[in-house]
PDB file of all heavy atoms in Angstrom:
ATOM      1  N   TYR A   3      22.488  -5.092   7.797  1.00  0.00           N
ATOM      2  CA  TYR A   3      22.461  -3.762   8.428  1.00  0.00           C
ATOM      3  C   TYR A   3      23.417  -3.637   9.587  1.00  0.00           C
ATOM      4  O   TYR A   3      23.541  -4.556  10.417  1.00  0.00           O
ATOM      5  CB  TYR A   3      21.001  -3.407   8.883  1.00  0.00           C
ATOM      6  CG  TYR A   3      20.074  -3.544   7.791  1.00  0.00           C
ATOM      7  CD1 TYR A   3      19.330  -4.711   7.622  1.00  0.00           C
ATOM      8  CD2 TYR A   3      19.806  -2.400   6.953  1.00  0.00           C
ATOM      9  CE1 TYR A   3      18.406  -4.779   6.536  1.00  0.00           C
ATOM     10  CE2 TYR A   3      18.859  -2.601   5.982  1.00  0.00           C
ATOM     11  CZ  TYR A   3      18.179  -3.713   5.833  1.00  0.00           C
ATOM     12  OH  TYR A   3      17.275  -3.805   4.789  1.00  0.00           O
ATOM     13  N   SER A  10      20.325   7.645  10.832  1.00  0.00           N
ATOM     14  CA  SER A  10      19.289   8.604  11.297  1.00  0.00           C
ATOM     15  C   SER A  10      18.546   7.943  12.538  1.00  0.00           C
ATOM     16  O   SER A  10      18.653   6.709  12.727  1.00  0.00           O
ATOM     17  CB  SER A  10      18.266   8.981  10.305  1.00  0.00           C
ATOM     18  OG  SER A  10      17.536   7.833   9.976  1.00  0.00           O
ATOM     19  N   TYR A  29       1.281 -20.256  17.619  1.00  0.00           N
ATOM     20  CA  TYR A  29      -0.074 -19.919  17.918  1.00  0.00           C
ATOM     21  C   TYR A  29      -1.057 -20.936  17.268  1.00  0.00           C
ATOM     22  O   TYR A  29      -0.867 -21.353  16.189  1.00  0.00           O
ATOM     23  CB  TYR A  29      -0.333 -18.548  17.373  1.00  0.00           C
ATOM     24  CG  TYR A  29       0.169 -17.483  18.336  1.00  0.00           C
ATOM     25  CD1 TYR A  29       1.331 -17.337  18.834  1.00  0.00           C
ATOM     26  CD2 TYR A  29      -0.723 -16.268  18.547  1.00  0.00           C
ATOM     27  CE1 TYR A  29       1.766 -16.464  19.739  1.00  0.00           C
ATOM     28  CE2 TYR A  29      -0.321 -15.268  19.389  1.00  0.00           C
ATOM     29  CZ  TYR A  29       0.984 -15.316  19.945  1.00  0.00           C
ATOM     30  OH  TYR A  29       1.404 -14.332  20.799  1.00  0.00           O
ATOM     31  N   PHE A  51      -7.692   1.414  -0.666  1.00  0.00           N
ATOM     32  CA  PHE A  51      -9.022   1.265  -0.757  1.00  0.00           C
ATOM     33  C   PHE A  51      -9.359   0.519  -2.050  1.00  0.00           C
ATOM     34  O   PHE A  51      -8.969   0.884  -3.189  1.00  0.00           O
ATOM     35  CB  PHE A  51      -9.668   2.637  -0.950  1.00  0.00           C
ATOM     36  CG  PHE A  51     -11.239   2.687  -0.825  1.00  0.00           C
ATOM     37  CD1 PHE A  51     -11.920   2.465   0.352  1.00  0.00           C
ATOM     38  CD2 PHE A  51     -11.894   2.949  -2.030  1.00  0.00           C
ATOM     39  CE1 PHE A  51     -13.262   2.528   0.384  1.00  0.00           C
ATOM     40  CE2 PHE A  51     -13.316   2.917  -1.974  1.00  0.00           C
ATOM     41  CZ  PHE A  51     -13.961   2.746  -0.758  1.00  0.00           C
ATOM     42  N   VAL A  83      -6.636   6.159   4.481  1.00  0.00           N
ATOM     43  CA  VAL A  83      -6.871   5.306   3.246  1.00  0.00           C
ATOM     44  C   VAL A  83      -6.068   5.832   2.086  1.00  0.00           C
ATOM     45  O   VAL A  83      -5.586   7.023   2.020  1.00  0.00           O
ATOM     46  CB  VAL A  83      -8.367   5.287   2.806  1.00  0.00           C
ATOM     47  CG1 VAL A  83      -9.212   4.621   3.928  1.00  0.00           C
ATOM     48  CG2 VAL A  83      -8.864   6.677   2.522  1.00  0.00           C
ATOM     49  N   GLU A 143       3.835   2.603  -9.749  1.00  0.00           N
ATOM     50  CA  GLU A 143       4.603   1.552 -10.477  1.00  0.00           C
ATOM     51  C   GLU A 143       4.719   1.898 -11.944  1.00  0.00           C
ATOM     52  O   GLU A 143       4.652   0.976 -12.914  1.00  0.00           O
ATOM     53  CB  GLU A 143       3.920   0.112 -10.243  1.00  0.00           C
ATOM     54  CG  GLU A 143       4.056  -0.172  -8.740  1.00  0.00           C
ATOM     55  CD  GLU A 143       3.578  -1.616  -8.483  1.00  0.00           C
ATOM     56  OE1 GLU A 143       2.770  -2.183  -9.292  1.00  0.00           O
ATOM     57  OE2 GLU A 143       3.897  -2.248  -7.383  1.00  0.00           O
ATOM     58  N   ILE A 152      11.407   8.167 -17.404  1.00  0.00           N
ATOM     59  CA  ILE A 152      11.539   8.687 -16.137  1.00  0.00           C
ATOM     60  C   ILE A 152      11.644  10.251 -16.046  1.00  0.00           C
ATOM     61  O   ILE A 152      11.119  10.931 -15.204  1.00  0.00           O
ATOM     62  CB  ILE A 152      12.816   8.136 -15.383  1.00  0.00           C
ATOM     63  CG1 ILE A 152      12.979   8.577 -13.910  1.00  0.00           C
ATOM     64  CG2 ILE A 152      14.166   8.495 -16.155  1.00  0.00           C
ATOM     65  CD1 ILE A 152      14.034   7.904 -13.168  1.00  0.00           C
ATOM     66  N   GLU A 180      13.320   0.424  -6.751  1.00  0.00           N
ATOM     67  CA  GLU A 180      13.309   1.565  -7.804  1.00  0.00           C
ATOM     68  C   GLU A 180      14.024   2.827  -7.253  1.00  0.00           C
ATOM     69  O   GLU A 180      14.546   3.579  -7.974  1.00  0.00           O
ATOM     70  CB  GLU A 180      12.015   1.888  -8.257  1.00  0.00           C
ATOM     71  CG  GLU A 180      11.319   0.674  -9.067  1.00  0.00           C
ATOM     72  CD  GLU A 180      11.939   0.514 -10.487  1.00  0.00           C
ATOM     73  OE1 GLU A 180      12.936   1.264 -10.784  1.00  0.00           O
ATOM     74  OE2 GLU A 180      11.343  -0.317 -11.109  1.00  0.00           O
ATOM     75  N   THR A 261       2.624  -7.976  10.064  1.00  0.00           N
ATOM     76  CA  THR A 261       2.822  -6.641   9.524  1.00  0.00           C
ATOM     77  C   THR A 261       2.370  -5.619  10.592  1.00  0.00           C
ATOM     78  O   THR A 261       3.155  -4.676  10.766  1.00  0.00           O
ATOM     79  CB  THR A 261       2.025  -6.530   8.161  1.00  0.00           C
ATOM     80  OG1 THR A 261       2.675  -7.438   7.210  1.00  0.00           O
ATOM     81  CG2 THR A 261       2.224  -5.100   7.661  1.00  0.00           C
ATOM     82  N   LEU A 263       1.766  -5.830  13.879  1.00  0.00           N
ATOM     83  CA  LEU A 263       2.517  -5.840  15.113  1.00  0.00           C
ATOM     84  C   LEU A 263       4.004  -5.203  14.917  1.00  0.00           C
ATOM     85  O   LEU A 263       4.290  -4.386  15.755  1.00  0.00           O
ATOM     86  CB  LEU A 263       2.636  -7.150  15.758  1.00  0.00           C
ATOM     87  CG  LEU A 263       1.336  -7.881  16.153  1.00  0.00           C
ATOM     88  CD1 LEU A 263       1.549  -9.254  16.759  1.00  0.00           C
ATOM     89  CD2 LEU A 263       0.447  -7.005  17.108  1.00  0.00           C
ATOM     90  N   GLY A 269       7.093   1.969  14.489  1.00  0.00           N
ATOM     91  CA  GLY A 269       6.660   3.292  14.161  1.00  0.00           C
ATOM     92  C   GLY A 269       6.639   3.494  12.771  1.00  0.00           C
ATOM     93  O   GLY A 269       6.832   4.689  12.239  1.00  0.00           O
ATOM     94  N   ASN A 300     -17.900  -9.715  -1.051  1.00  0.00           N
ATOM     95  CA  ASN A 300     -19.172  -9.415  -0.570  1.00  0.00           C
ATOM     96  C   ASN A 300     -19.104  -8.625   0.645  1.00  0.00           C
ATOM     97  O   ASN A 300     -20.161  -8.451   1.363  1.00  0.00           O
ATOM     98  CB  ASN A 300     -19.945 -10.697  -0.275  1.00  0.00           C
ATOM     99  CG  ASN A 300     -20.284 -11.553  -1.538  1.00  0.00           C
ATOM    100  OD1 ASN A 300     -20.546 -10.944  -2.584  1.00  0.00           O
ATOM    101  ND2 ASN A 300     -19.957 -12.838  -1.490  1.00  0.00           N
TER     102      ASN A 300
END
Side-chain angles (χ1 to χ4, degrees):
Y3 301 93
S10 67
Y29 277 44
F51 190 76
V83 293
E143 296 185 342
I152 189 170
E180 295 287 2
T261 298
L263 295 183
N300 298 314

